[in-house]
Amino acid sequence: MPDAEDVRTIALSLPETTEKTAWSMPTFRVAGKMFITLPAEETSIAVRCPKVERDELVMAEPDKFWVAEHEAYSAWVRARLSALDDTDELRVILTDSWRQAAPPRLLDAHPELGAPPMD
């Protein structure tokens, strides 16, 4: 089961990612744009996710994904770390969120991170 240290390790391995405390919790940013939050209890994460995909994720796997009430109108989803299969799944989720926040110059410079994995 992935944990908060796995989140930190994977997030900081992504290009130009920095960690910054905001709202008394760790957040991770690329080129100044937030793409992960790690709430205080460090048992879940919030990541960027287009609303259509987010709704599909929540419906398909409600034990894994949910939307916090204050994020209902934004493009963010929560994931329970204990419900993730492994660090590979965590890496896919974090990288997808990074892609949504990264500027085009970073996507162009890192094509290996620029396309979502094919199922």
Side-chain angles (χ1 to χ4, degrees):
M1 168 182 77
D3 62 20
E5 279 308 307
D6 294 320
V7 172
R8 183 169 279 105
T9 299
I10 294 168
L12 293 174
S13 75
L14 296 167
E16 293 190 30
T17 295
T18 58
E19 182 174 351
K20 179 180 179 181
T21 300
W23 308 289
S24 300
M25 72 177 107
T27 66
F28 298 86
R29 299 158 190 260
V30 57
K33 290 178 74 175
M34 189 165 34
F35 70 100
I36 305 166
T37 66
L38 187 60
E41 76 281 356
E42 296 189 343
T43 60
S44 67
I45 55 174
V47 293
R48 289 176 176 258
C49 184
K51 288 182 187 178
V52 172
E53 291 177 27
R54 177 189 75 182
D55 295 343
E56 291 172 2
L57 280 173
V58 171
M59 288 178 60
E61 298 184 85
D63 292 336
K64 189 179 288 189
F65 299 103
W66 85 99
V67 177
E69 187 175 323
H70 68 278
E71 294 166 343
Y73 297 102
S74 62
W76 288 78
V77 68
R78 301 281 176 123
R80 291 172 183 84
L81 293 174
S82 63
L84 299 181
D85 295 332
D86 53 28
T87 55
D88 289 338
E89 183 178 22
L90 177 63
R91 182 177 302 282
V92 167
I93 291 167
L94 299 183
T95 302
D96 186 57
S97 187
W98 179 89
R99 275 193 300 273
Q100 292 174 59
R105 68 173 175 77
L106 279 178
L107 296 174
D108 291 344
H110 300 279
E112 74 282 6
L113 299 175
M118 302 301 284
D119 288 335

